[in-house]
Amino acid sequence: MATTGNKNINAKLVLLGDVGAGKSSLVLRFVKGQFIEFQESTIGAAFFSQTLAVNDATVKFEIWDTAGQERYHSLAPMYYRGAAAAIIVYDITNQASFERAKKWVQELQAQGNPNMVMALAGNKADLPDTRKVAAEEAQAYAQENGLFFMETSAKTAANVNDVFYEIAKRLPRVQPAQNPSGMVLMDRPAERVASASCCS
Amino acid sequence: MYGIPKYGRFRSLKIHRIYTRDSVTTRNCPALLCLPGPTLTPSLSSLLPRKSQPSPAFVSKKKPLSLSLSVHESLAMQETELHDLSDDADYAASQLQASASMMRSDGIKRSSSSEPDGAEIVYLKDNVTIHPTQFASERISGRLKLIKQASSLFMTWIPYKGQSTNAKLSEKDRNLYTIRAVPFTEVRSIRRHTPALGWQYIIIVLSSGLAFPPLYFYNGGVKEFLGTIKQHVFLVRSAEDANVFLVNDFGNPLQRTLSSLELPMAVSVASEPSTSISVGESPLNENQERTDVVFGNSSASLYNGKQRQKKASNVTEKIPDGSPVASDPLENISYMKHNHVEEAATNLGTFELIDCKEVDKLTLVWGKPRQPPLGFEEWFTFLDSEGKVLDSKALRKRIFYGGVEHGLRKEAWAFLLGYHSYDSTYAERTYLRSIKKSEYETIKFQWQSISPEQAKRFTKFRERKGLIEKDVVRTDRSLSFYDGDDNANVNLLRDILLTYSFYNFDLGYCQGMSDLLSPILFIMEDESESFWCFVALMERLGPNFNRDQNGMHSQLFAISKLVELLDSPLHNYFKQHDCLNYFFCFRWILIQFKREFEYEKTMRLWEVLWTHYLSEHLHLYVCVAILKRYRNKIMGEQMDFDTLLKFINELSGHIDLDPILRDAEALCICAGENGATCIPPGTPPSLPVDDGSFYTQQDDDVL
Ligand SMILES: Nc1nc2c(ncn2[C@@H]2O[C@H](COP(=O)(O)OP(=O)(O)OP(=O)(O)O)[C@@H](O)[C@H]2O)c(=O)[nH]1
Ligand SMILES: [Mg+2]
């Protein structure tokens, strides 16, 4: 499956990050091409899917958007368990959100799928005047921790699709045989994969 | 007596009824309860007002309705039960012939398909009987009809008057079991039972999952009944069980789009016919609420009986990929009892539900029709001269069934939330308001007095303030009350929430609280009053926001227990698909459906929930009611956890509140004591059982 055979992959992806960093906005931009200035806070979690064509394959992302508040942290493992990829989002105008992002990275490194593809997204790049987190600092952190890094803007759409595209390229073509928990989105029956690709 | 006349005879008879919500009972309308055949004398029919317009028509909601019924008094439709009908194309043809010959034999003018807007009786069968108890002496016979109006098909079953075999069966009982104009858009399936010995009977299951009692065809005619239905609505035989006929089955993609009662987009369409068939010639000059009253569309009837218990478990439904889904949601509630006598109502009036024990565990419950909201004039009838609420239970009941008019909410909510006590006087409330205002100012001053310098060394404060500020600017900003730059009300949201996080420092601020406060501020329009009402609400819902999630867990757990009780196939489905944590209901519960309904409907729902009239936990039954509405879709499409969560999130804005409230009420009554035991003590909004501090020290820096 690495090169031939079924080239249509389903990949579970989870978005983590501080309140208001722009997780929902990034998903909305990627999935619907929209931006809502007063995007409501996420209660519980939301689920979306979107398919990308990468070279000669398609990747159907099954995206879990989580609630940012620390109070709801205990629910997070339910969503990142079994995920093939994660985007950890912070707000470049908010230093605390960067610190929070680092904690998420640590948690995923300790608890998550070891093969997980992780991206660090410095969002709200359209607000350079109020920037608090230097791109170099984030870049260096990402490198040390084996993530890839991009600054994004859900508002202007800059780099949004690129993050997902980059993740898609990095996904191992061979899916893990089994995931431990119930909420597994990776190993779908073949016909669901096929139907996903025919609609893409 | 049960024999129907052997001679065929038709009588054309126009029935015009004036419908008013309260006064009309079946007694006012003898024609609908008349005995079959010769007993329908000209003198009886002359009791009915006649009207001369040549082609009376059914019209929609707000216009007067008149109905020209041609009463087909005897059989004429031969019982051609020689071959099996169901999926047989010839059968439909033969039925067409039969009805054509029927037309020919009908010398008198009758409404027919040539009158596209008219109602036409397409099937009529006498001596269709229900068995409320196992005693043959206690049976109620009546007339079963299929009525076609425009493109919609309805079913009615009206018991005969004064024909009951037992004096114990009163008028009240007959009313109770009467089936009034159920549209087939609300029917999920029909199960046919053809015992080797005894009468054939059918069980009609509604899309809500509830069912009518078995209808026994003393004179045969089940096949003909199904055949007639098949001519008018999409009816297929279940692949799993040859005796189950699915109405508007969603397995077929074309039908899915056409008839999808359960697709969110189709909700309003589906409920349309149920209001348009109401019969009467005077204008229903009522508002929408009143119109809803006319026909409880999803009149959630619940039935559990012995016959059903025995047969239920083999009922299966066809679903697209062929794996069976058990369809009988009621098999598990057969032991339910509720001992209190409750009122219930149909479109034709109010009556008491009989105690289940009295009729041998047979229950038939309709959620009561929604009433118009409580207005000022009526409100004052609940107050004495000093302003005390005389009968708080009656008030809560009134609000439970109708909500509160917008202008009155400011006053009523303060009681419902427990900020004002019902036995307080006007003067006491005015006094309380002033005391509470200064108390509020005191707490508010605690954070207002924190200087920027101090804040630098007060991380927790800064974090809280920052979090609140992030949330209030994205709470209901599309409402004019909260829109625009530097909106004063948004600032009030911030101040109240920050003050609350000092008032209840242990709980602090949690996402979701701004959603709960927003309608309260919108209604109260006063900072201090909003704060104290919010405090009162948080007394009930605070545990929803506990770090350990115990409040949420106990509610989600209770939902799973209630679904197990009220819809065991759905429960089993969730179990098989690892969905028993019910996290897809998380948002519903955390913020009381705030994101699921439009603003006005949310406020209506909240005031109904806050009455705690039938149960403190009606919101849990609302969850079950919504899940039951969509159960076929959920199971039919084999949704897994993620698909289900997406589906549930996307229901937002598409759920029709009134039918859901009626279903929830019916489910709550039917679940009775058994339902209450599903809900652990201390489950919000009940106050916690253990005393002491119920918010464990929260630390937001755990991660
Ligand atoms: N200028 C700018 N604003 C953004 C951008 N992305 C998001 N926002 C705004 O930031 C706020 C929060 O965005 P959300 O997408 O709701 O943030 P979130 O991470 O999903 O927040 P939670 O659901 O509360 O965890 C909203 O008002 C967005 O409009 C961006 O790229 N640029
Ligand atoms: Mg979000």
Side-chain angles (χ1 to χ4, degrees):
Chain A
M1 231 162 74
T3 50
T4 56
N6 193 343
K7 291 182 179 166
N8 304 316
I9 299 165
N10 281 0
K12 174 178 170 179
L13 182 151
V14 63
L15 282 121
L16 300 167
D18 203 4
V19 173
K23 299 178 291 298
S24 303
S25 299
L26 284 172
V27 185
L28 193 67
R29 173 60 79 188
F30 175 58
V31 173
K32 294 188 183 154
Q34 297 170 352
F35 176 75
I36 297 174
E37 202 187 343
F38 302 119
Q39 176 66 39
E40 292 174 311
S41 66
T42 304
I43 301 288
F47 179 79
F48 303 86
S49 65
Q50 175 70 300
T51 306
L52 268 187
V54 182
N55 303 328
D56 55 346
T58 63
V59 175
K60 184 182 179 203
F61 280 116
E62 299 181 315
I63 305 167
W64 287 94
D65 175 24
T66 60
Q69 191 177 5
E70 165 53 27
R71 188 70 53 97
Y72 301 115
H73 177 222
S74 63
L75 304 178
M78 188 168 75
Y79 300 112
Y80 66 65
R81 206 183 290 141
I87 303 178
I88 295 127
V89 186
Y90 70 92
D91 171 357
I92 65 156
T93 71
N94 183 324
Q95 182 67 40
S97 74
F98 184 56
E99 302 309 319
R100 183 82 195 281
K102 291 180 189 169
K103 289 185 176 163
W104 278 120
V105 172
Q106 283 166 19
E107 177 163 343
L108 289 182
Q109 284 169 341
Q111 315 284 335
N113 163 12
N115 301 318
M116 187 186 281
V117 178
M118 281 196 255
L120 181 66
N123 192 39
K124 309 198 186 179
D126 56 293
L127 301 173
D129 297 348
T130 45
R131 174 190 288 277
K132 296 279 160 43
V133 184
E136 297 71 30
E137 187 190 350
Q139 177 69 59
Y141 175 81
Q143 220 141 24
E144 276 166 37
N145 288 276
L147 322 172
F148 77 89
F149 167 70
M150 275 187 193
E151 287 200 344
T152 58
S153 169
K155 189 168 181 172
T156 66
N159 276 348
V160 175
N161 289 352
D162 310 63
V163 173
F164 288 90
Y165 190 78
E166 198 58 37
I167 290 175
K169 284 202 302 196
R170 288 164 194 243
L171 285 173
R173 289 297 149 115
V174 181
Q175 301 298 317
Q178 261 302 328
N179 282 297
S181 84
M183 285 184 35
V184 174
L185 304 171
M186 311 253 309
D187 38 7
R188 285 290 168 74
E191 93 259 17
R192 282 200 59 164
V193 174
S195 71
S197 65
C198 73
C199 313
S200 62
Chain B
M1 185 61 229
Y2 287 135
I4 41 171
K6 289 290 179 284
Y7 48 89
R9 188 158 65 93
F10 295 90
R11 186 189 304 272
S12 179
L13 163 63
K14 282 183 182 167
I15 301 170
H16 301 282
R17 291 160 55 206
I18 297 171
Y19 177 77
T20 57
R21 186 167 58 86
D22 299 312
S23 63
V24 175
T25 69
T26 47
R27 262 162 293 190
N28 299 56
C29 187
L32 292 189
L33 287 179
C34 65
L35 296 174
T39 53
L40 180 68
T41 61
S43 65
L44 180 55
S45 58
S46 69
L47 288 173
L48 297 161
R50 287 186 181 278
K51 215 174 172 200
S52 56
Q53 75 212 51
S55 180
F58 271 87
V59 288
S60 63
K61 287 179 188 169
K62 285 170 188 134
K63 281 164 55 193
L65 290 175
S66 59
L67 161 62
S68 171
L69 289 181
S70 161
V71 176
H72 167 200
E73 279 170 42
S74 58
L75 64 158
M77 294 192 212
Q78 314 88 317
E79 307 258 314
T80 49
E81 312 217 338
L82 300 170
H83 63 297
D84 187 59
L85 69 108
S86 46
D87 288 314
D88 183 350
D90 290 344
Y91 184 79
S94 76
Q95 284 299 298
L96 272 177
Q97 269 179 6
S99 69
S101 66
M102 207 167 82
M103 299 276 296
R104 278 196 300 280
S105 71
D106 178 2
I108 317 168
K109 176 178 164 287
R110 65 194 292 271
S111 70
S112 72
S113 51
S114 63
E115 294 174 73
D117 286 338
E120 185 190 357
I121 296 176
V122 292
Y123 173 88
L124 183 151
K125 184 56 77 181
D126 278 305
N127 291 313
V128 176
T129 302
I130 64 163
H131 299 177
T133 69
Q134 77 269 41
F135 305 113
S137 60
E138 295 179 10
R139 290 175 181 171
I140 307 176
S141 289
R143 174 176 288 181
L144 181 67
K145 281 187 234 172
L146 294 172
I147 300 172
K148 189 165 187 236
Q149 182 245 317
S151 58
S152 303
L153 189 68
F154 299 84
M155 184 189 82
T156 66
W157 179 79
I158 312 287
Y160 302 134
K161 194 177 187 180
Q163 202 208 7
S164 125
T165 48
N166 187 306
K168 265 165 52 183
L169 291 171
S170 61
E171 179 81 357
K172 193 173 78 178
D173 298 324
R174 278 195 304 277
N175 260 338
L176 180 60
Y177 294 107
T178 299
I179 300 171
R180 294 182 176 89
V182 173
F184 271 79
T185 50
E186 294 191 357
V187 175
R188 183 205 303 162
S189 65
I190 301 167
R191 186 181 172 86
R192 175 180 64 178
H193 295 259
T194 46
L197 278 176
W199 299 287
Q200 293 192 358
Y201 64 95
I202 58 166
I203 293 174
I204 294 175
V205 181
L206 299 176
S207 43
S208 60
L210 308 177
F212 290 113
L215 293 165
Y216 289 82
F217 286 61
Y218 283 13
N219 298 108
V222 172
K223 279 180 187 170
E224 183 191 317
F225 176 73
L226 292 167
T228 308
I229 293 170
K230 199 178 172 188
Q231 288 172 40
H232 299 285
V233 301
F234 185 68
L235 185 77
V236 289
R237 187 196 283 266
S238 163
E240 301 299 322
D241 185 330
N243 281 316
V244 172
F245 298 86
L246 306 171
V247 181
N248 298 326
D249 180 44
F250 300 110
N252 174 330
L254 176 65
Q255 282 301 319
R256 185 180 308 184
T257 54
L258 293 178
S259 61
S260 53
L261 175 67
E262 302 188 328
L263 289 179
M265 304 304 293
V267 166
S268 55
V269 179
S271 60
E272 189 78 8
S274 59
T275 50
S276 63
I277 190 151
S278 56
V279 184
E281 62 185 6
S282 73
L284 290 170
N285 51 353
E286 321 279 359
N287 58 25
Q288 178 60 45
E289 304 275 346
R290 292 293 287 258
T291 314
D292 282 349
V293 160
V294 175
F295 265 78
N297 51 6
S298 61
S299 47
S301 62
L302 246 169
Y303 156 71
N304 57 83
K306 287 192 168 163
Q307 304 89 336
R308 194 163 174 77
Q309 292 166 43
K310 284 189 217 119
K311 316 257 177 182
S313 51
N314 8 336
V315 181
T316 53
E317 255 178 38
K318 194 184 90 180
I319 53 169
D321 71 356
S323 45
V325 174
S327 75
D328 190 340
L330 294 176
E331 56 193 299
N332 254 20
I333 62 165
S334 49
Y335 52 86
M336 281 184 199
K337 281 187 206 124
H338 57 96
N339 297 325
H340 56 299
V341 175
E342 269 293 338
E343 273 189 347
T346 68
N347 53 308
L348 292 181
T350 303
F351 50 86
E352 287 192 331
L353 282 178
I354 35 186
D355 187 308
C356 292
K357 281 187 203 153
E358 265 176 29
V359 288
D360 189 34
K361 296 182 186 171
L362 177 78
T363 315
L364 187 68
V365 178
W366 277 269
K368 199 168 177 170
R370 306 295 306 161
Q371 292 172 12
L374 174 67
F376 276 102
E377 210 174 303
E378 194 183 348
W379 166 258
F380 287 112
T381 66
F382 286 99
L383 303 179
D384 71 7
S385 58
E386 290 185 293
K388 290 184 180 175
V389 175
L390 298 164
D391 182 351
S392 67
K393 175 132 200 247
L395 176 64
R396 291 186 295 114
K397 179 179 178 185
R398 175 64 183 85
I399 295 173
F400 180 87
Y401 285 111
V404 176
E405 261 178 24
H406 188 72
L408 185 58
R409 285 191 166 130
K410 194 173 189 158
E411 204 146 341
W413 282 19
F415 288 98
L416 292 174
L417 285 168
Y419 170 48
H420 289 313
S421 64
Y422 289 104
D423 58 2
S424 61
T425 63
Y426 289 122
E428 285 164 353
R429 294 198 287 272
T430 308
Y431 179 67
L432 184 77
R433 271 193 288 270
S434 70
I435 297 281
K436 287 290 182 186
K437 188 166 174 58
S438 61
E439 207 176 309
Y440 173 74
E441 296 298 338
T442 307
I443 308 166
K444 185 178 175 184
F445 189 68
Q446 291 174 1
W447 62 262
Q448 279 184 319
S449 64
I450 296 172
S451 69
E453 270 308 301
Q454 192 186 354
K456 275 187 193 157
R457 296 181 297 272
F458 197 169
T459 309
K460 199 142 219 164
F461 172 67
R462 284 199 319 275
E463 281 178 0
R464 244 173 224 193
K465 188 156 179 274
L467 188 52
I468 291 169
E469 278 167 353
K470 276 179 195 160
D471 273 6
V472 293
V473 295
R474 43 188 187 143
T475 302
D476 295 321
R477 294 303 293 282
S478 57
L479 292 181
S480 62
F481 189 76
Y482 291 115
D483 78 358
D485 290 343
D486 214 16
N487 178 301
N489 295 319
V490 172
N491 294 336
L492 283 180
L493 281 180
R494 180 199 59 205
D495 289 359
I496 295 169
L497 289 168
L498 201 47
T499 307
Y500 182 78
S501 87
F502 273 70
Y503 172 84
N504 189 345
F505 202 86
D506 289 349
L507 185 61
Y509 173 77
C510 302
Q511 286 196 293
M513 286 184 182
S514 66
D515 281 278
L516 293 177
L517 175 60
S518 159
I520 292 178
L521 179 63
F522 176 69
I523 291 301
M524 306 310 288
E525 295 175 308
D526 174 275
E527 188 174 349
S528 160
E529 291 289 285
S530 301
F531 174 80
W532 291 110
C533 283
F534 180 69
V535 166
L537 180 63
M538 294 308 292
E539 286 294 310
R540 299 174 179 181
L541 299 183
N544 281 9
F545 299 98
N546 272 0
R547 170 174 292 280
D548 65 4
Q549 304 284 325
N550 61 4
M552 289 302 298
H553 282 301
S554 61
Q555 288 169 91
L556 296 174
F557 174 79
I559 297 172
S560 85
K561 286 288 160 200
L562 287 172
V563 171
E564 189 174 3
L565 177 72
L566 293 162
D567 194 340
S568 67
L570 187 62
H571 171 81
N572 291 335
Y573 178 88
F574 286 151
K575 194 171 176 182
Q576 279 161 19
H577 291 79
D578 280 319
C579 295
L580 278 189
N581 61 24
Y582 280 80
F583 268 111
F584 45 86
C585 297
F586 190 89
R587 187 173 78 188
W588 291 0
I589 298 294
L590 188 84
I591 50 173
Q592 302 282 287
F593 304 94
K594 163 71 163 45
R595 302 268 181 99
E596 319 311 321
F597 296 98
E598 58 188 78
Y599 213 61
E600 168 61 32
K601 292 285 179 189
T602 301
M603 295 191 287
R604 174 60 35 85
L605 171 62
W606 283 9
E607 62 209 11
V608 170
L609 296 179
W610 294 343
T611 62
H612 290 189
Y613 171 65
L614 269 187
S615 161
E616 288 186 347
H617 299 104
L618 190 79
H619 68 297
L620 302 176
Y621 292 96
V622 170
C623 294
V624 179
I626 299 173
L627 291 174
K628 282 178 80 70
R629 281 257 156 180
Y630 297 98
R631 68 188 297 281
N632 280 3
K633 194 170 165 62
I634 292 168
M635 295 194 286
E637 295 182 9
Q638 290 279 292
M639 293 187 192
D640 53 12
F641 183 89
D642 53 331
T643 318
L644 184 58
L645 186 121
K646 182 168 192 277
F647 173 72
I648 298 269
N649 279 353
E650 287 172 359
L651 280 181
S652 170
H654 298 291
I655 307 170
D656 197 358
L657 180 60
D658 282 347
I660 289 296
L661 281 176
R662 296 182 58 163
D663 287 2
E665 179 198 356
L667 289 167
C668 181
I669 290 172
C670 289
E673 281 300 304
N674 292 300
T677 58
C678 291
I679 303 168
T683 297
S686 301
L687 297 181
V689 273
D690 53 335
D691 46 2
S693 83
F694 52 83
Y695 308 111
T696 45
Q697 183 61 45
Q698 311 283 341
D699 188 330
D700 279 353
D701 294 323
V702 165
L703 188 71

